[in-house]
Amino acid sequence: MSAAIQFQGVEKRYGPTLALENITLEVPKGELVVLIGPSGCGKSTLLRLVNRMIEPTGGALLVEGKNVLEQDAVSLRRSIGYVIQSIGLFPHMTIFENVEVVPSLLGWEKGKKRRGAAELLAVVGLEPDKFGDRYPKQLSGGQQQRVGIARALAADPQILLMDEPFGAVDPITRERLQAEFLRIQSEIHKTILFVTHDIDEAVKLADRICLMRDGKVEQYATPEELLGNPASDFVRDFVGADRELKRLGRVSVASLMGPMQRSEFGRETSEKAAIPGTMSARDALSRLLEAGGELPVVDPQGQIIGTITLNDLTVARMDERSMDQRHKAT
């Protein structure tokens, strides 16, 4: 798979201070790459190099094969979506007008702008007829964040930069936004560089994770590899002692379930207690504990397709541990 963004020995200095040192990595097209690490590690600095909010002082940074320093900065920024924690909606503009900001700068025709804004509001779960003519202060924080995502997508950029986009909302809203964002990404397949300080969010969202410390890359890997084979004690400590539970968050119930026996559950029980096959094994754990260790699994149409047990999760975790041991042995 070709790379949408390439960091080739990139450095960033602020006077004598080296904020980023020899960053070399590639962001494949259509993947969501999360930048994570302790405060001050350089993750937001690295992100903002991509659209020249700041500029590198060494190495080369290529976007779609072209050096960013050889491109017009304004044109580059308009071609890349950008979502930040504080959202930054214009309070005097309607939601429609906020989403249409970049298309307006690009000279799009009025009808095209409005159709595009309406489509994007629908994509992020906001009914355009209901929300389009409202102002930001009339929306909740989570709704405003959805508008921020819609605005970043308005000019159909191939690359999207997101800097702690869900950090300012409450935990419940944050989980809903994460789930909604995964749904959107499954449809649009943008190249996304996403900054967070939350390892659970990184594991849930990322195709690949870049863990940074002191301006350097500690490990760049898939979530499964990062959790299953930490490259250093720092990585192991950062991802936490519950690595196995985090990995269960990457596994669907449907991939672990066993066959359904007709006599096992009555109709009433299945309707009340069934869990969707798309649910993560980690999320299913608490439901299984409450239910006594076994539950039916249903497809999107509500049809029972199997059962999941605590033993299924235990076997999955044992398989992961044995994989770790085999990996260490080699």
Side-chain angles (χ1 to χ4, degrees):
M1 184 177 291
S2 59
I5 306 170
Q6 296 171 279
F7 298 91
Q8 300 177 343
V10 169
E11 293 187 353
K12 177 61 183 177
R13 289 184 178 274
Y14 293 100
T17 303
L18 188 59
L20 294 173
E21 181 178 352
N22 192 31
I23 304 295
T24 298
L25 60 89
E26 294 187 347
V27 179
K29 287 185 178 180
E31 290 198 2
L32 194 161
V33 171
V34 169
L35 304 176
I36 193 169
S39 297
C41 70
K43 54 188 183 290
S44 290
T45 299
L46 188 63
L47 180 87
R48 288 184 284 178
L49 291 176
V50 176
N51 62 355
R52 291 185 64 181
M53 299 296 287
I54 56 178
E55 298 191 348
T57 49
L61 200 171
L62 308 183
V63 172
E64 302 292 354
K66 299 177 182 178
N67 193 314
V68 295
L69 296 181
E70 297 174 359
Q71 301 182 52
D72 176 74
V74 174
S75 298
L76 178 68
R77 289 174 194 143
R78 290 179 182 175
S79 70
I80 296 175
Y82 190 38
V83 184
I84 57 177
Q85 178 175 319
S86 60
I87 308 171
L89 299 181
F90 297 109
H92 61 288
M93 292 183 177
T94 66
I95 300 309
F96 273 138
E97 290 168 342
N98 266 282
V99 176
E100 294 167 359
V101 166
V102 174
S104 294
L105 293 172
L106 296 174
W108 288 19
E109 179 265 328
K110 184 177 180 180
K112 180 182 178 182
K113 288 189 299 184
R114 186 52 51 94
R115 287 192 299 274
E119 289 173 2
L120 283 169
L121 287 176
V123 165
V124 299
L126 296 174
E127 298 174 35
D129 291 341
K130 181 177 180 180
F131 294 97
D133 291 319
R134 294 185 185 182
Y135 289 86
K137 66 180 180 181
Q138 297 174 296
L139 273 60
S140 69
Q143 290 169 337
Q144 290 184 34
Q145 196 66 66
R146 289 170 186 253
V147 176
I149 294 172
R151 184 174 64 180
L153 294 170
D156 195 24
Q158 295 307 301
I159 294 173
L160 188 62
L161 307 179
M162 307 185 76
D163 195 352
E164 299 272 10
F166 309 140
V169 296
D170 63 87
I172 293 176
T173 301
R174 185 170 186 160
E175 284 195 16
R176 289 174 179 166
L177 285 170
Q178 290 168 350
E180 187 72 7
F181 186 65
L182 281 174
R183 179 191 66 78
I184 294 169
Q185 173 62 354
S186 71
E187 296 176 0
I188 62 178
H189 303 292
K190 299 295 184 183
T191 301
I192 301 172
L193 206 54
F194 187 111
V195 168
T196 185
H197 66 276
D198 185 339
I199 185 62
D200 288 321
E201 182 168 71
V203 169
K204 182 175 183 177
L205 298 180
D207 293 304
R208 301 171 197 262
I209 297 174
C210 177
L211 177 54
M212 300 178 65
R213 177 171 65 157
D214 298 332
K216 300 177 183 178
V217 175
E218 282 284 327
Q219 188 169 358
Y220 183 45
T222 64
E224 291 82 2
E225 183 179 353
L226 190 82
L227 295 170
N229 189 36
S232 66
D233 289 340
F234 170 79
V235 177
R236 185 175 294 103
D237 291 342
F238 190 89
V239 299
D242 60 340
R243 291 186 294 128
E244 291 178 1
L245 282 176
K246 287 185 173 69
R247 277 194 285 180
L248 286 179
R250 299 282 300 184
V251 180
S252 71
V253 167
S255 68
L256 300 177
M257 69 182 184
M260 178 70 188
Q261 302 297 324
R262 281 186 191 175
S263 60
E264 290 184 53
F265 297 99
R267 180 179 177 81
E268 183 179 352
T269 301
S270 65
E271 288 180 347
K272 289 183 177 179
I275 56 178
T278 54
M279 178 181 284
S280 75
R282 180 176 181 175
D283 290 342
L285 179 58
S286 61
R287 298 273 297 273
L288 285 166
L289 290 171
E290 292 173 1
E294 186 172 12
L295 282 172
V297 181
V298 295
D299 64 16
Q301 288 71 46
Q303 299 298 312
I304 297 177
I305 55 176
T307 60
I308 187 76
T309 68
L310 284 173
N311 186 60
D312 293 327
L313 303 192
T314 302
V315 170
R317 293 175 67 184
M318 289 177 65
D319 287 346
E320 288 167 352
R321 282 197 290 267
S322 64
M323 287 177 65
D324 284 352
Q325 294 302 320
R326 288 197 296 270
H327 197 98
K328 289 175 183 176
T330 56

